[in-house]
Amino acid sequence: MRILGIDPGIAIVGFGFIDKAGSKITPVQYGSIQTEAGTEPALRLKQVYDSAVQLIDKYQPEAMAVEKLFFNRNVTTAFSVAQARGVLILAAVQKGLQIGEYTPLQVKQAVVGYGNAEKKQVQEMVRIFLKLQTVPKPDDVADALAVAICHAHSCTLTQKINEVSGT
């Protein structure tokens, strides 16, 4: 199964494609979609959407995993991130992808085994899981790969539950 992990944003969208075969997780491609500050917000959202569609078409994932939003103190930033998240989910749904949504706590637990893990711990575990030489940069890329890994683990758990229950 190919999974697209997304760390949504309006300025930087981190993305990471991984392949999951049994218990093996392999990186396929990762990077970021970046929009220019000062550009009309609607145009930035279109750039995010168009880039996401191109990536989905090129790498053909079966599922997209995206981080659920939590509101911090900057409401303006939260709204623009929510809008970007919306166009990313729209692109995935239009392409027929399964959508998995995970809280930052769930991602940290899946990748590090500890829900209060620090960002650096998550990034280092992503590097180790995927056997990468360095932690992907910018941070949004490592975060996107962490979300994809979380989804891969979630799929494995669901499959095991179904096997045990006979469904």
Side-chain angles (χ1 to χ4, degrees):
M1 167 184 259
R2 180 158 293 170
I3 301 165
L4 166 58
I6 292 286
D7 181 38
I10 190 70
I12 301 173
V13 175
F15 70 85
F17 291 89
I18 62 170
D19 282 343
K20 178 189 175 304
S23 62
K24 185 176 180 183
I25 298 173
T26 309
V28 175
Q29 183 61 275
Y30 51 88
S32 64
I33 299 166
Q34 298 189 23
T35 64
E36 193 171 324
T39 302
E40 174 77 28
L43 292 176
R44 292 176 92 176
L45 291 170
K46 183 178 181 327
Q47 291 169 353
V48 167
Y49 173 84
D50 290 344
S51 296
V53 168
Q54 288 175 348
L55 288 166
I56 291 167
D57 285 344
K58 183 173 183 176
Y59 294 102
Q60 299 291 304
E62 297 164 65
M64 183 178 88
V66 63
E67 195 167 80
K68 286 184 180 178
L69 293 181
F70 64 97
F71 287 91
N72 55 17
R73 286 173 257 214
N74 190 336
V75 176
T76 303
T77 299
F79 282 141
S80 64
V81 171
Q83 290 174 323
R85 185 177 182 276
V87 299
L88 290 158
I89 290 172
L90 174 63
V93 169
Q94 286 181 329
K95 292 295 181 175
L97 276 58
Q98 302 167 14
I99 308 292
E101 299 179 84
Y102 303 94
T103 65
L105 176 72
Q106 289 172 308
V107 173
K108 290 174 182 181
Q109 286 176 327
V111 176
V112 180
Y114 176 61
N116 289 325
E118 293 183 23
K119 194 170 195 68
K120 296 283 185 208
Q121 291 173 296
V122 174
Q123 293 171 346
E124 182 60 17
M125 286 306 294
V126 164
R127 186 191 70 75
I128 291 167
F129 263 122
L130 300 178
K131 299 176 177 67
L132 302 174
Q133 294 294 316
T134 60
V135 171
K137 295 290 179 192
D139 292 351
D140 312 79
V141 178
D143 292 346
L145 287 166
V147 175
I149 291 167
C150 178
H151 188 73
H153 290 325
S154 177
C155 290
T156 300
L157 181 60
T158 301
Q159 182 180 11
K160 287 180 181 178
I161 290 169
N162 290 340
E163 288 170 4
V164 169
S165 67
T167 55

